[in-house]
Amino acid sequence: MLFFEARRTRLSGTATPSPLNLYQLRRTCSTCSLSELCLPMGLESGDMQRLEELVALRGPVNEGDHLFRVGDPLRVLYAVRGGFFKSYLVEANGREQVLGFHLPGELIGLDAIWPEQHQCNAVALNTASVCELPYAGLSDLGRQVPGLQHSMLRLLSKELALSHSLAGDYSAEERVAGFLLSLSSRMKARGHSETHLTLAMSRRDIANYLRLATETVSRVFSRFEQDGLVSVDRREVMLRDLEKLGQIGRCFTVG
Amino acid sequence: MLFFEARRTRLSGTATPSPLNLYQLRRTCSTCSLSELCLPMGLESGDMQRLEELVALRGPVNEGDHLFRVGDPLRVLYAVRGGFFKSYLVEANGREQVLGFHLPGELIGLDAIWPEQHQCNAVALNTASVCELPYAGLSDLGRQVPGLQHSMLRLLSKELALSHSLAGDYSAEERVAGFLLSLSSRMKARGHSETHLTLAMSRRDIANYLRLATETVSRVFSRFEQDGLVSVDRREVMLRDLEKLGQIGRCFTVG
DNA sequence: CGCTATTTTGAGCCGCGTCAATACGGGTGG
DNA sequence: CCACCCGTATTGACGCGGCTCAAAATAGCG
């Protein structure tokens, strides 16, 4: 903790943090730019410090590395610190099913709380890092800190609403537009551009997530580009008409 | 409470409870046959009594009555005591979207925890009754009773997993078979026949829930009947080959 | 510079939705 | 008791959106 304190003090004076020292800023919840999106949202600084004592940072997670797999006992929940993750499961027939993409500040593994076993796999889409939150400790602390318990329920409840909105029967265009807008707003909330997206995931993953064929996603991208809604170059996407996209897309954005 | 105590004592000697006194048995969690499925699952009798003090019973809810609507502030969570409910939402385009059906012992309104407003509508499919669980009190009690907090997280987590399994891209037959099996296992867990189902919901509701057209559900029912998998008479459904249904159906059953 | 994975584009087909007609059942009133 | 009505369910015909299969671009990499 002394080390962290020293860091915090030393860095607190920096004006505009560059990506380099962002990781150092994120060594504690108190100094993490994501704290208002993440689990500690709304906690007082005293409570936040108690949470910090639980948190263990986990260094670079390489692309393709798994945080956990189906059936693993629930030891810790993960909060994304940097990078992108996807969660997915493999069905009886062998097909993969992408459940979601996880940006910095988002929690992974919530659906493992029952029955204390992970229900899906989680893999890094690029070089990433995470915070490990021991579930047992979190559960204890939640009992003492009202805000924390509520925060956990809130995050679960939110994820449930998101899942509901994805389950609807929407057309391919509605789905793709909704996906782009969701990503856009989440990136914006994290201080990035809401119009210039760099997709960390492949077309195949997007398609699978949206329950479409890869070809269909590709075609919709092309159509959107023809209509001047977006500019697509490989995994770089520029949203050119948020208004129209919003009219087309189902709102997958929750929060 | 004295009244309840008296009831409990007087009824505890009855051998096979008829539907009539089932409602009386269910006046407290301790004597409710659903307690092992419901929120109090796994609580010690002391903790359960503290939970009982929170619970308010709500008399007959008539078919078509709403427990809550989108936007209502979260005051209480509901546990179904008797009857069937459905939760649904109405989208921008005016179409209805059925989110789920709720059997006795199941909780309704969990997705309202964030942001303390109901995110969907809940309506009784037939004459029903519910327990009202004030969320504030539940939240407080959860902090004192470890098992209760975990129980709430568990139920949310479970619902999330269910929602995930529904979101997959399954064929009409997979969906219908999965739906029947889910209902079957839930009815079995409640002491009813797992082969003889009485559907409380219309074909339209089933279709909407499964993201299919009514006609498609009807056609699949007919096909299943031709193949000897089920016998269908109006809303009475007899499952004749659970084995084959299980091979066809995606497992929507969680718990 | 080839090799491979990913993405894009095209052609054809199929499952499911849409539209329409019919059948069934339950309730109401004569 | 039957005639009538209306909501629900079934069945058929047809069209379309998106999946499948196939092939051609394009990028990444040794």
Side-chain angles (χ1 to χ4, degrees), chain A residues 94-162:
Chain A
R95 273 184 311 187
E96 191 177 307
Q97 182 77 258
V98 175
L99 298 176
F101 302 107
H102 308 280
L103 277 58
E106 294 177 346
L107 254 60
I108 313 182
L110 285 171
D111 60 349
I113 289 174
W114 172 87
E116 304 227 356
Q117 279 196 346
H118 285 288
Q119 302 295 304
C120 61
N121 310 286
V123 64
L125 292 173
N126 45 28
T127 306
S129 67
V130 293
C131 301
E132 297 191 340
L133 309 158
Y135 179 66
L138 216 52
S139 194
D140 287 343
L141 190 58
R143 237 166 285 136
Q144 298 161 41
V145 180
L148 184 60
Q149 173 186 281
H150 192 259
S151 218
M152 288 174 66
L153 289 170
R154 178 177 54 84
L155 286 170
L156 255 174
S157 185
K158 197 164 151 181
E159 203 165 320
L160 186 59
L162 178 66

Side-chain angles (χ1 to χ4, degrees), chain A residues 55-87:
Chain A
V55 176
L57 303 187
R58 184 161 144 191
V61 181
N62 293 317
E63 177 179 341
D65 282 357
H66 278 75
L67 292 178
F68 52 79
R69 292 174 189 273
V70 172
D72 288 353
L74 172 58
R75 192 177 55 82
V76 298
L77 296 178
Y78 295 91
V80 182
R81 207 146 53 98
F84 282 69
F85 288 83
K86 84 171 176 193
S87 56

